[in-house]
Amino acid sequence: MRQRDQRAGSGLFRRPLPLSRCPLSVRPRSGEQVPSLTAQIARASNPGGTTAMWVRDRLDGLWCDQDFADWYPRDGRPGLSPAQLATVCVLQFLLDPSDRQAAEAVRCRIDFKYAMALELDDPGFHHSVLADFRERLTEGDRADRLLDLALARLKDAGLVRERTTQRTDSTHVLAAVRDLTRLELITEAVRAALEELAGTTPHLLTDLVDEEWGRRYGRPVRLGKNPTRPMTRILATGNDAFRLLERLQQHGAERAFGPRAQALRLIVVQNYYRDAAGRLRWRTAEDGGLPPSSQAIVSPYDPTARYARRGQVTRWTGFLAHLRHARPTA
């Protein structure tokens, strides 16, 4: 038994390493032309061509095995052609198949064999090879160098022109906040500021928060578009907000406002004003003037989010991301 244990420890009974962990080496192919029989059957089966065949016809020589020589050690088990695997990755981007589906296409589809310059009886490869290739691609600056090399060869082939017109586009990004009415906004802003102060400076809330405040701000606000007695709620919430802000100012805490208290102060300024008699008023487009949507705060939890609209249909609360299609450089 002891001898058997020693033999097991020496590695005689050890399971073989996964293929991805075995050292691989590149064996550059001598010829990369499409086999004549593969080309003949592919053309006969698809007279108009396919996306995979177009990739081979228009992008032939985009990469060669020598471009990947520094990805692999010199000694090791012979690996698959990295140029062919890169071609499969391009086809995955264009046709959106999974790794299993792409490996199956290499085994079964004539146009994939044409794109990779394979014989008709080539058995292909296991789908896990693609994941290993992408892992190698993410190391260092390999991806950038590979794309730069592809871009240079596309320019040489006349498929990419320099100094083309730059195009810009934009898309909307939703903020991780709930859509609120103006009354819900000011009420939730007061509640958020109270929650923040209760965790940082609870002594400031002494003799201010009573049972009525607890009922009003004890849970997230859900009023809807048609609440009961809206003007009564608006004035009551506004007075509570002013009292809270005045309490912070009296205790010299305005310099240490947290983000929720700062948002409350801005929301109060944007939604209330005092008339000549000193009475609290709710801002409207006619009298007090509302801020434009580019400046109006829509949530106390993300003061940078804004209400936006595109056309007559698309409306969202969040941001607008601008995308630029950069032209290639020499």
Side-chain angles (χ1 to χ4, degrees):
M1 292 294 294
R2 182 176 300 175
Q3 293 179 353
R4 178 176 298 178
D5 293 341
Q6 292 176 352
R7 293 177 61 191
S10 64
L12 295 178
F13 297 97
R14 193 176 300 166
R15 296 179 60 185
L17 291 173
L19 293 179
S20 60
R21 296 184 180 179
C22 295
L24 301 176
S25 60
V26 177
R27 300 293 186 268
R29 294 170 293 166
S30 57
E32 299 180 4
Q33 299 297 323
V34 180
S36 58
L37 185 58
T38 302
Q40 179 182 353
I41 296 180
R43 293 298 181 189
S45 302
N46 304 281
T50 64
T51 301
M53 296 172 65
W54 180 90
V55 168
R56 181 66 192 182
D57 293 337
R58 300 296 300 274
L59 305 181
D60 186 19
L62 190 60
W63 296 293
C64 59
D65 288 340
Q66 286 80 1
D67 299 329
F68 304 85
D70 59 342
W71 291 30
Y72 301 87
R74 294 185 178 181
D75 300 328
R77 181 174 54 86
L80 296 173
S81 166
Q84 290 181 334
L85 296 178
T87 302
V88 175
C89 290
V90 172
L91 293 175
Q92 283 187 279
F93 175 79
L94 294 174
L95 304 177
D96 198 27
S98 64
D99 287 352
R100 291 180 182 271
Q101 293 171 338
E104 182 180 1
V106 173
R107 291 192 301 270
C108 304
R109 287 180 53 168
I110 299 297
D111 57 341
F112 269 62
K113 292 185 180 295
Y114 179 92
M116 299 177 62
L118 297 176
E119 297 285 352
L120 293 178
D121 57 353
D122 192 289
F125 50 79
H126 194 264
H127 66 86
S128 61
V129 176
L130 294 172
D132 178 70
F133 177 79
R134 288 194 298 269
E135 184 177 353
R136 294 178 184 271
L137 181 63
T138 58
E139 297 178 3
D141 60 343
R142 290 176 175 176
D144 293 337
R145 290 191 288 113
L146 199 62
L147 290 176
D148 290 341
L149 182 61
L151 180 60
R153 290 176 178 169
L154 288 171
K155 288 167 56 180
D156 294 339
L159 298 178
V160 175
R161 296 179 300 173
E162 295 184 19
R163 299 185 181 278
T164 55
T165 302
Q166 287 187 343
R167 296 182 295 112
T168 59
D169 198 358
S170 61
T171 184
H172 59 276
V173 179
L174 299 180
V177 297
R178 183 165 56 94
D179 291 337
L180 303 171
T181 64
R182 288 181 62 196
L183 178 55
E184 287 178 330
L185 172 63
I186 185 64
T187 309
E188 186 65 24
V190 174
R191 193 187 77 85
L194 290 173
E195 293 285 350
E196 182 181 61
L197 293 172
T200 56
T201 53
H203 64 279
L204 297 179
L205 303 180
T206 304
D207 300 331
L208 177 65
V209 177
D210 54 16
E211 185 177 353
E212 180 65 23
W213 280 47
R215 288 195 299 267
R216 192 175 301 165
Y217 309 110
R219 57 183 180 179
V221 182
R222 296 289 192 280
L223 298 178
K225 295 183 178 181
N226 298 305
T228 58
R229 298 179 300 167
M231 289 308 302
T232 302
R233 290 175 179 268
I234 287 172
L235 294 178
T237 305
N239 287 320
D240 293 343
F242 272 97
R243 288 179 60 192
L244 179 58
L245 293 175
E246 290 174 356
R247 171 64 63 91
L248 295 178
Q249 187 175 5
Q250 290 174 0
H251 289 76
E254 72 278 0
R255 298 181 180 177
F257 273 9
R260 303 291 181 264
Q262 292 179 3
L264 173 62
R265 181 169 58 179
L266 294 176
I267 291 173
V268 168
V269 171
Q270 291 183 353
N271 290 275
Y272 291 95
Y273 74 99
R274 292 192 181 276
D275 59 13
R279 292 173 296 184
L280 189 66
R281 296 292 186 181
W282 183 244
R283 289 187 184 273
T284 63
E286 290 76 19
D287 50 20
L290 293 172
S293 59
S294 60
Q295 299 178 8
I297 298 176
V298 294
S299 173
Y301 302 104
D302 190 349
T304 61
R306 296 292 184 267
Y307 172 79
R309 181 179 66 183
R310 175 180 291 171
Q312 300 298 324
V313 178
T314 306
R315 294 175 174 84
W316 73 96
T317 299
F319 314 92
L320 187 64
H322 292 276
L323 308 175
R324 183 180 66 181
H325 303 269
R327 60 174 178 261
T329 58

